[in-house]
Amino acid sequence: MTRLGVAWVACWLGSLGALAAPGTGESPADAALRRYFAGETSRLEERARAGLERLARGGDERERLRQELLDMLGLWPMPERTPLQAVVAGKVEGDGFVVERLQFQSMPGLYVTGNLYRPAGAVGRLPGVLYVCGHAAVRTNGVSCGNKTAYQHHGMWFARHGYVCLTIDTLQLGEIEGDHHGTHRLGQWWWNSRGYTPAGVETWNGIRALDYLESRADVDAGRIGMTGRSGGGSYTWTTAAIDERVRVAAPVAGITDLRNHVVDGVVEGHCDCMYFVNTHQWDFAMKAALVAPRPLLIVNTDADTIFPLDGVQRVHAQVRRVYEALGAVDRLGLVIAPGPHRDTQDLQVPVFRWFNRHLKGEEPLIGEAAVRRLDPMALRVFGDLPEDQRNTTAQEWFGSAEGRGGIVGEGVARLRSLRERVFGGWPDEGSTGRMEKVEDRKVGSRRLRTWTFESQSDVPLRLDLVTAEDRPPGTLVLRVLDPRAAGVWAVRQLGDGWGRGEFEGEDATAWAFLAPRGIGEGGWSGDERKQVQIRRRFMLLGQTLDGMRIWDIRRGLAVLREVAPELARVELAAEGAMGVNALYAALFEPGVAGLDLQEWPASMREGPDYLNVGQVLDYPAAIEWARARGVAVRIGGR
């Protein structure tokens, strides 16, 4: 095979970031990306509307959608409910309430620390509330007390008014501090490849917290509600969507729609715990509607920048149609209070009233505010953290690929599994975009032809083809360019001497050059942080940037087959992450005879990310399969 040196590629295109569209300050590449995200969001919105209509009609749609949600959280098949091993470390007495400092293990080694508030002197079974917390770092002398202590006033209010309320820490900000920020700020894109999201951990911990509440002699298992704000609002949505033991839900500032997140950029204000891995390409109203027809109060403020009002209202309108169809519109409420993203009385009071109405059948006036009364250290559960804790490594093992059965099927079945679970964000097979030849000229004894084509709507790419007119047709090498290949393509200056020496004696008679989306003239403006948030937008659409670059390579090969059918033997050459993209493209393109893959990443953690690929066909298995199919694969390390 022919290895194309970077010196010869020298790449072809500089960024057009400085060439802004007239009067907008926006480059053509940025404008195209903005239109792409808007179009893909509209596509998923349409899918969601169809799903909501089916849900409203009843049948088995609810269970199918729940299974999809569990799958996207890393919870399908549902993990074993192992013994909780609950331990009450101590008690704190307050004015009219008692706090139990407790911990349990939702899985062996996955510790959940919490505070359980109950009325002092109460007898019999009382309604229960699971309160899940938003992001709040509470530390004393460098020791984490857990974000449960920042929300203590909610537990106290519920206990002083006849409820048993369990408030639990989150993975990120609990007493044992794990991570919520894999793609947000840690560069751990392999979370996508594993199909991992901390939202799955938080949901599972919520499910097991319901198990614990059910086990208590002072809780009426038929009257359990769930609430929380911000991140806790999000976990309330997800847990209540899955577990019908949540009889009443009141998520606060925990949801908005995909349009807000992707098109309006709200994703930039959220860490990974807010999102499922969008394998099935949902809009967020889908999980909201799964709470129907149980009592649901949607609560938000009108100036919340990370849960904007317009998106909240759109979610409510979609969910309302489901409640109407189920004859339960009286069980759906919407509260919009004034103010920013904050825990205020304007939000708290309607939630308290909602639980009184639907869990106790009462409508008393709320005459007492929820206030903090205890020092956070008094509510801390652990002295020393347990040595067997697995919280800090949850991203390594939770919802592991091994639990999904590994590689699925052979041949067509394997490709189908890849297509559905890993590359579900690709357009329909056979879809084509516009193509136009823009250049045809001689460079010495070579012929240079250039086409522009659409890989997808609003994804314009360029393909250069150089053929040696003094040799008969033979092997075509398609060089897939990576971000380092920037500047002006060297062939335009090298004239008749192009290729001599470097390719002397090789059997290649044609060379093509393709830069997938986001590279060269298609590069997007912005610093590294902005590029991270662009990648996360792809993720929310059920795609990844590199997964869509594989589609670009496939489209480039389709263009070559159309414009140069005489070049029967095709090889791909690429480096680093782009080499991995070329490998997976070759699995879907039977005409690829060889792969020259240099600077191969040491593991999936260093390579490109594709949703769930570790559950279906990881890098080594993909290489093995390509070779088994007759593709000559040459691998070069760093």
Side-chain angles (χ1 to χ4, degrees):
M1 280 184 284
T2 303
R3 181 179 180 193
L4 300 186
V6 173
W8 295 113
V9 178
C11 226
W12 41 300
L13 301 163
S15 172
L16 293 182
L19 303 179
T24 66
E26 185 178 45
S27 76
D30 289 342
L33 181 65
R34 174 176 50 78
R35 292 192 301 271
Y36 174 80
F37 282 143
E40 290 295 285
T41 298
S42 295
R43 181 175 63 84
L44 265 63
E45 287 172 337
E46 186 59 36
R47 285 173 58 100
R49 279 191 287 272
L52 290 171
E53 289 175 4
R54 292 193 300 272
L55 180 63
R57 291 196 295 268
D60 60 357
E61 187 71 6
R62 180 178 303 276
E63 288 311 309
R64 187 186 70 80
L65 290 174
R66 279 193 178 140
Q67 181 175 324
E68 286 188 357
L69 180 55
L70 286 164
D71 177 40
M72 295 189 293
L73 292 165
L75 294 172
W76 186 261
M78 189 74 87
E80 180 187 358
R81 279 182 158 93
T82 53
L84 290 169
Q85 301 186 54
V87 175
V88 176
K91 298 179 183 179
V92 179
E93 294 190 4
D95 182 12
F97 64 91
V98 175
V99 187
E100 297 181 9
R101 298 181 291 110
L102 65 91
Q103 51 93 352
F104 61 84
Q105 296 178 54
S106 63
M107 291 179 175
L110 184 58
Y111 285 86
V112 181
T113 42
N115 295 145
L116 184 131
Y117 299 82
R118 55 181 175 81
V123 295
R125 293 184 178 272
L126 304 175
V129 173
L130 174 59
Y131 192 96
V132 281
C133 300
H135 295 79
V138 182
R139 294 184 177 86
T140 299
N141 297 323
V143 175
S144 175
C145 299
N147 50 351
K148 64 184 178 300
T149 63
Y151 290 92
Q152 57 175 278
H153 47 301
H154 293 269
M156 293 173 189
W157 190 95
F158 279 115
R160 288 166 62 88
H161 291 82
Y163 296 85
V164 175
C165 178
L166 173 59
T167 303
I168 59 173
D169 279 330
T170 58
L171 183 72
Q172 169 77 28
L173 293 163
E175 294 187 24
I176 306 171
E177 299 181 86
D179 284 326
H180 276 176
H181 291 271
T183 72
H184 183 247
R185 69 182 183 205
L186 299 178
Q188 296 179 352
W189 298 99
W190 53 268
W191 286 20
N192 288 330
S193 297
R194 285 199 70 248
Y196 171 76
T197 169
V201 179
E202 303 300 354
T203 302
W204 178 248
N205 288 349
I207 291 170
R208 299 312 314 273
L210 294 172
D211 290 345
Y212 176 75
L213 280 173
E214 272 195 324
S215 73
R216 290 185 61 101
D218 53 359
V219 174
D220 181 349
R223 290 190 295 159
I224 294 178
M226 187 171 181
T227 185
R229 68 169 294 276
S230 193
S234 179
Y235 317 144
T236 299
W237 281 112
T238 309
T239 308
I242 289 168
D243 199 322
E244 293 196 356
R245 291 177 299 175
V246 178
R247 302 301 175 91
V248 181
V252 180
I255 200 169
T256 187
D257 63 3
L258 195 65
R259 181 160 295 274
N260 270 166
H261 284 284
V262 175
V263 178
D264 302 329
V266 168
V267 62
E268 300 188 19
H270 291 290
C271 65
D272 294 17
C273 74
M274 300 299 297
Y275 305 116
F276 43 71
V277 178
N278 202 3
T279 308
H280 301 287
Q281 297 189 295
W282 280 24
D283 197 352
F284 297 110
M286 295 286 285
K287 70 173 179 179
L290 284 173
V291 181
R294 289 165 286 158
L296 170 64
L297 183 68
I298 302 174
V299 188
N300 216 79
T301 48
D302 60 0
D304 191 327
T305 57
I306 59 174
F307 298 103
L309 179 59
D310 61 341
V312 174
Q313 290 175 321
R314 288 192 295 265
V315 169
H316 172 260
Q318 293 182 75
V319 174
R320 182 180 174 87
R321 285 192 285 272
V322 176
Y323 271 82
E324 287 174 342
L326 297 175
V329 72
D330 58 323
R331 300 179 194 170
L332 177 67
L334 174 66
V335 172
I336 303 297
H341 185 71
R342 254 210 214 124
D343 185 14
T344 66
Q345 286 187 331
D346 290 337
L347 300 175
Q348 296 163 9
V349 170
V351 171
F352 297 153
R353 294 187 64 193
W354 190 255
F355 283 111
N356 280 342
R357 179 185 306 165
H358 291 285
L359 287 182
K360 297 174 73 176
E362 301 175 357
E363 293 277 357
L365 293 176
I366 306 298
E368 179 184 346
V371 295
R372 298 185 183 93
R373 300 167 184 263
L374 297 174
D375 182 281
M377 281 300 288
L379 298 174
R380 183 175 160 85
V381 175
F382 287 122
D384 296 324
L385 299 182
E387 293 183 359
D388 64 343
Q389 65 85 12
R390 303 173 73 199
N391 298 48
T392 54
T393 60
Q395 63 273 19
E396 309 275 353
W397 58 268
F398 187 90
S400 68
E402 292 77 12
R404 308 293 187 89
I407 297 170
V408 179
E410 295 291 339
V412 174
R414 181 178 288 183
L415 281 179
R416 185 184 304 116
S417 185
L418 274 174
R419 183 68 174 82
E420 293 175 354
R421 290 198 55 74
V422 180
F423 303 122
W426 286 352
D428 292 337
E429 297 292 329
S431 60
T432 59
R434 293 174 295 178
M435 181 177 68
E436 179 183 1
K437 183 190 284 188
V438 295
E439 187 169 13
D440 189 343
R441 67 185 176 93
K442 292 195 70 174
V443 183
S445 62
R446 308 292 197 266
R447 182 185 181 193
L448 169 64
R449 287 172 285 172
T450 300
W451 289 266
T452 59
F453 68 96
E454 280 192 330
S455 180
Q456 291 174 262
S457 179
D458 295 305
V459 185
L461 299 178
R462 193 179 88 179
L463 179 76
D464 284 312
L465 174 62
V466 180
T467 52
E469 296 190 341
D470 58 349
R471 302 189 205 174
T475 297
L476 165 70
V477 175
L478 172 59
R479 174 72 154 107
V480 186
L481 305 175
D482 61 32
R484 296 170 297 177
V488 179
W489 185 40
V491 70
R492 297 178 183 272
Q493 287 79 39
L494 292 177
D496 193 49
W498 185 84
R500 298 300 172 87
E502 177 76 7
F503 300 108
E504 192 67 37
E506 299 284 0
D507 62 355
T509 59
W511 300 264
F513 301 89
L514 171 70
R517 68 188 72 191
I519 296 171
E521 71 178 2
W524 306 306
S525 64
D527 58 14
E528 183 179 353
R529 175 173 173 77
K530 190 69 175 179
Q531 302 308 311
V532 165
Q533 299 306 326
I534 287 173
R535 289 181 69 175
R536 296 180 82 222
R537 283 173 168 85
F538 278 99
M539 179 178 78
L540 297 191
L541 293 168
Q543 306 171 358
T544 67
L545 173 54
D546 276 298
M548 299 314 294
R549 284 171 172 165
I550 296 173
W551 177 259
D552 297 340
I553 297 169
R554 295 188 63 197
R555 285 285 297 124
L557 288 167
V559 170
L560 284 171
R561 285 193 295 268
E562 182 172 340
V563 302
E566 72 278 7
L567 297 168
R569 179 179 172 82
V570 177
E571 298 178 357
L572 296 177
E575 298 179 351
M578 204 59 70
V580 184
N581 294 342
L583 167 65
Y584 281 88
L587 298 180
F588 287 88
E589 299 294 333
V592 176
L595 292 165
D596 186 2
L597 311 175
Q598 301 300 315
E599 298 188 15
W600 189 256
S603 69
M604 266 198 323
R605 300 192 177 206
E606 297 182 15
D609 62 307
Y610 318 126
L611 298 187
N612 307 310
V613 72
Q615 302 170 7
V616 182
L617 192 75
D618 62 15
Y619 296 0
I623 294 170
E624 179 183 346
W625 191 31
R627 285 175 168 153
R629 297 175 66 194
V631 180
V633 182
R634 173 182 171 185
I635 301 289
R638 295 185 184 278

